Amino acid sequence: MSAPAEPVAAAPVAPRRAIWALLRSPSGAVGLAIVLLLVVVALLAPVIAPYDPYRMASGPRLAPPSWDHWMGTDQLGRDVFSRIVHGARLTLMIGTIAVGISLTAGLLLGLVAGYAGGWPERILMRLVDVVFSFTEIVIALACLAILGVGLINAMIAIGIASIPFYARITHSVVLVEKNKPYFEAAVAAGASHLRLIFLHLLPNVIPTLIVVGTLGVSTAVLAAAGLSFLGLGAQPPQPEWGFMLSSSRDLISGAPWMMIFPGLAIAITVLGFNLLGDGVREVLDPRQRAR
Amino acid sequence: MLRFIVQRLFAAAITIWIATIAVTLLIHLVPGDPVRIMYAGFQTTEAEIEAIRARLGLDQPVWRQYFMYLGRVLQGDLGHSIVGNQPVLDTLLQRFPATLALTVSALVIAVVVGGSLGFFAAYKRGTAWDFGAMTLAIVGVSMPHFWLGLLLLFLFSMTLGWLPVGGSGWRNLILPALTLGLATGAVIARLTRSAMIDIFDQDFVRTAHAKGLPKTLVLYRHALRSGLVPVVSMLGLQFAYLMGGAIVIENVFAWNGVGRLAIQAVFARDYPLIQGFILFFATVVALVSVVIDVTYALLDPRIRYGT
C-alpha cells in the first residue's frame, strides 16, 4: 500500500493577495465565514449563551425547542443551545492541540528523514508507513489504553495518531524541494545542516502544511467527537458535542433535538474547515483552479 | 508476478512484526502499575497481584518478555483476557465474522454509490449536476459517521419502523452497513471524480470519440476502465479506514464485532485483550492490503514491472 500522501505542491503567495484570492473562491469564502463564526462563538460563549451550560433545570426536562430554549433541553433540564455554544470552545481547543502535536512532530520527522536521505530516511519512513497502516483510530485507542480516558488524553491520542500522516506529506515535499536549483545552490555555498533545514526547506514546506493542517483540524474534530461519543474522550458534565450525541442515543425517539443539534454543530464545523482547506489549496496551488 | 507477491508478503510480515513490538511496549508505557490498574475493580491480595505479574511475565526484563510474547503469538496464543479469562484469539475470531460482514457490505455500498456519483459528476463536469453531486459528497465527508448512523436509526427504525434498532440478524446489518458505506462512499466519490476527469482529458479518450465510437462504449470500455485503476489503488487504505470506522459504528448499533469488544477492553483496561486486538487488526489490514495490491497489479501491468 503506497502513496496516499499526495504532495500538494503549494507555492508561497503574498499574504494580502492570498486573502483576496481566498475570498474570491466560493469554498474558501464559505469556509472562512464558518470558521470565523465558530471562533466568535467560542470567544463570546458566555455572552451568547442564554443559560449556564452546566446548570441543571434551566428549564423543564426534555423540553422541545421553544422560544425560551431554541434547541430544547436535555434529560437534566440543561439548555442544549447554551451547551452547544460553550462546546465550540472545546472543539476549537481539540482542533488546535491535536493538530499542533501532529503537525510539529510530523514536520520534524519528515524534514529530518527527507534531508538526511540514505538509510536513516529508509528506516524512518518505513516505520512511519507501518504505523500509518494501523489507522488513526487504532493508534488513538492504544494511546488511550496507556493514558486512560479523558478529553485531554483524547486530544493527545489524536495528535499522536496523525503524526505519520504529516510526516509522510512533509517528507514528500522535502524530496521535491531538495532537487530544486535554489537548494543545490545553498548546499554548494556551504550552508550548515541547520541552515539548510530551517531556512531553506522549512519555508517551502509550510504552504503545503497550512493546507493539510486546515483539513487536519476537521479530521481531529471528527475523531475527538467519535472518541467522546464512545465515552473515551469528554466526561460528564463537559458540553462536548460528541459526548452530547452519545447521551442522546437512548432518547432519540422522544427527544430527537438532543441528537440533531450537536451533530449539526460538528458537521458544520468540519465542513467549514474542509471548505477552508480546499480554498487555501486553490490559492496556493494554481493548478487546482482549473478543476 | 510471483516476486511482486513475495515482496508484498514480506512487507506485510514486517508490519506485523513491528506490531508485536509495539504491543509489548504498550503495557510498559502505562503510567503506574499495569497489573494494579487492570485489577482495580477486583478484590486482590498482594500475593495474588504478584502471582498475576509472574503469570503475565511482567516480572521479567522487557526483552525477555518480548521473546516470550513472540513465541506464544507464533503458536497462536494471544493470552487470556482479564475480564472473563477467555483465550484472546478465540474471542477475537468469534467476533470477527460480524465485523467482516459489516466492512465488506459497507465497502460494496461505498464503491457502488461513491463510484457512480463520482463518475456521474466527472461526466457532467462544470454543470449544476456536478456541483450538486460534489456538495453531497463534501457534506458526506464532513458528517460524523456515528451521527449519520443515529439519523438513519431515527428515520428507519424509530419513525418508519422498518428496521430493528439493534441485534445480530441480517436485518440488523442493513443500517450499520449503510451508515459506514455512505460515509466512505463520499470519499470514494471525490476520488473517482478527480480520477475520471484526468482520464476524460486524455488523448486516447478524445481519439476514441473522434473515430466515431458510440459514446457509451467510450465511457465504459475506455474511460471507466482506466479511471478505476487509481480508485482501486486507494481501496486498501479505504478498507483500513472501514475497519477503523467499524469500531465506532458497531458501538452505535450494538453490532457485536471486534470493534465493540475493543472499546470494552479499553474501558476495562484489559491489556491482554487490547494487545491482541491491535495485533489482530494490524494483521488483517496488512493481509487485505496485500490482496488488494495484487489485484491492482493484475489490473495494471505497469505496477508489476515497475517495482
Side-chain angles (χ1 to χ4, degrees):
Chain A
M1 208 160 60
S2 60
E6 162 193 356
V8 191
V13 180
R16 197 183 294 166
R17 265 182 45 208
I19 290 173
W20 275 116
L22 187 65
L23 289 178
R24 270 202 302 272
S25 95
S27 58
V30 176
L32 192 64
I34 294 176
V35 171
L36 284 180
L37 180 72
L38 184 74
V39 172
V40 170
V41 168
L43 287 176
L44 299 179
V47 182
I48 297 173
Y51 299 92
D52 178 343
Y54 297 105
R55 211 188 88 206
M56 291 180 220
S58 292
R61 289 176 185 193
L62 297 175
S66 64
W67 189 244
D68 285 338
H69 300 280
W70 296 352
M71 298 182 181
T73 61
D74 66 9
Q75 71 276 37
L76 297 174
R78 292 174 299 196
D79 182 51
V80 173
F81 177 66
S82 303
R83 288 178 66 75
I84 287 188
V85 166
H86 279 267
R89 297 184 152 191
L90 291 177
T91 301
L92 277 185
M93 188 167 85
I94 293 161
T96 323
I97 293 181
V99 172
I101 293 172
S102 40
L103 197 67
T104 315
L107 179 67
L108 284 176
L109 259 174
L111 272 177
V112 170
Y115 177 76
W119 63 265
E121 179 186 29
R122 276 207 298 278
I123 292 180
L124 267 180
M125 293 320 292
R126 179 75 223 163
L127 209 62
V128 163
D129 278 350
V130 168
V131 177
F132 186 74
S133 76
F134 293 169
T135 75
E136 274 103 346
I137 179 126
V138 173
I139 304 170
L141 284 184
C143 292
L144 285 174
I146 295 169
L147 298 169
V149 300
L151 188 56
I152 298 287
N153 290 348
M155 292 179 206
I156 298 172
I158 294 164
I160 293 175
S162 304
I163 292 173
F165 177 71
Y166 290 86
R168 285 175 74 146
I169 294 203
T170 308
H171 176 246
S172 65
V173 179
V174 168
L175 287 189
V176 174
E177 294 297 326
K178 247 173 88 180
N179 288 315
K180 288 192 176 164
Y182 80 87
F183 186 79
E184 285 168 6
V187 176
S192 67
H193 293 309
L194 287 181
R195 193 180 171 83
L196 284 172
I197 294 180
F198 290 105
L199 275 174
H200 292 286
L201 289 178
L202 184 61
N204 289 297
V205 173
I206 283 179
T208 302
L209 283 185
I210 292 176
V211 175
V212 181
T214 313
L215 295 170
V217 173
S218 58
T219 320
V221 167
L222 275 180
L227 291 177
S228 294
F229 178 79
L230 295 172
L232 300 169
Q235 301 296 316
Q238 283 173 316
E240 202 276 337
W241 298 340
F243 179 71
M244 288 169 74
L245 275 176
S246 88
S247 46
S248 79
R249 181 165 45 175
D250 299 329
L251 301 161
I252 298 178
S253 55
W257 53 90
M258 278 180 65
M259 175 268 288
I260 291 169
F261 294 111
L264 213 52
I266 301 171
I268 291 174
T269 303
V270 171
L271 184 68
F273 280 101
N274 276 339
L275 290 173
L276 183 62
D278 281 353
V280 177
R281 191 205 320 251
E282 279 171 33
V283 171
L284 296 177
D285 180 11
R287 274 185 322 139
Q288 293 274 336
R289 232 172 282 163
R291 292 278 171 95
Chain B
M1 191 63 202
L2 188 67
R3 199 171 143 224
F4 178 82
I5 296 176
V6 171
Q7 267 177 353
R8 280 287 166 265
L9 280 174
F10 184 68
I14 290 188
T15 304
I16 297 165
W17 172 61
I18 292 179
T20 61
I21 300 179
V23 152
T24 315
L25 290 179
L26 180 132
I27 203 160
H28 290 277
L29 292 172
V30 176
D33 180 350
V35 179
R36 274 174 214 283
I37 291 175
M38 275 189 282
Y39 284 89
F42 297 74
Q43 290 279 340
T44 43
T45 63
E46 246 354 83
E48 279 167 331
I49 292 268
E50 289 314 311
I52 295 160
R53 201 187 306 284
R55 183 162 59 79
L56 294 173
L58 290 171
D59 52 348
Q60 308 280 332
V62 181
W63 64 269
R64 191 111 179 249
Q65 281 179 44
Y66 174 67
F67 285 109
M68 280 163 55
Y69 185 71
L70 192 64
R72 283 194 288 120
V73 167
L74 289 175
Q75 291 167 35
D77 175 11
L78 295 179
H80 283 70
S81 63
I82 303 296
V83 182
N85 195 28
Q86 298 292 318
V88 169
L89 187 62
D90 293 357
T91 315
L92 287 168
L93 287 176
Q94 194 194 330
R95 296 284 197 104
F96 185 58
T99 301
L100 197 65
L102 172 59
T103 42
V104 171
S105 39
L107 190 65
V108 172
I109 295 173
V111 170
V112 171
V113 175
S116 4
L117 195 66
F119 184 79
F120 174 72
Y123 180 61
K124 298 266 181 191
R125 176 161 47 143
T127 66
W129 287 108
D130 177 20
F131 182 77
M134 283 306 104
T135 306
L136 202 63
I138 197 164
V139 169
V141 171
S142 307
M143 258 178 142
H145 297 185
F146 52 94
W147 187 49
L148 179 61
L150 291 178
L151 289 174
L152 293 177
L153 202 61
F154 179 61
L155 180 65
F156 290 108
S157 302
M158 314 264 180
T159 311
L160 299 172
W162 290 353
L163 292 163
V165 176
S168 53
W170 69 269
R171 276 165 56 86
N172 302 86
L173 179 60
I174 300 176
L175 282 182
L178 204 59
T179 305
L180 201 53
L182 290 179
T184 313
V187 181
I188 293 190
R190 282 161 63 99
L191 290 172
T192 311
R193 178 181 177 271
S194 81
M196 290 312 304
I197 282 179
D198 283 343
I199 299 292
F200 285 152
D201 286 344
Q202 303 245 325
D203 290 340
F204 75 89
V205 175
R206 200 169 311 129
T207 311
H209 276 303
K211 71 183 183 188
L213 290 180
K215 208 171 192 175
T216 45
L217 189 74
V218 179
L219 279 183
Y220 294 107
R221 176 78 63 78
H222 292 71
L224 186 59
R225 246 197 192 173
S226 345
L228 279 182
V229 173
V231 176
V232 172
S233 78
M234 296 296 291
L235 283 186
L237 195 68
Q238 289 306 328
F239 181 81
Y241 277 109
L242 273 173
M243 287 272 298
I247 297 176
V248 182
I249 296 303
E250 283 177 6
N251 280 279
V252 176
F253 293 96
W255 182 255
N256 266 324
V258 285
R260 196 146 182 250
L261 190 70
I263 300 300
Q264 288 159 352
V266 173
F267 270 120
R269 295 290 190 104
D270 193 332
Y271 287 110
L273 191 51
I274 296 169
Q275 289 174 309
F277 168 74
I278 294 173
L279 194 57
F280 185 78
F281 187 95
T283 309
V284 171
V285 168
L287 292 180
V288 168
S289 74
V290 172
V291 173
I292 288 179
D293 280 355
V294 171
T295 320
Y296 177 40
L298 288 173
L299 279 180
D300 187 351
R302 281 174 307 177
I303 312 296
R304 263 176 276 163
Y305 301 117
T307 39

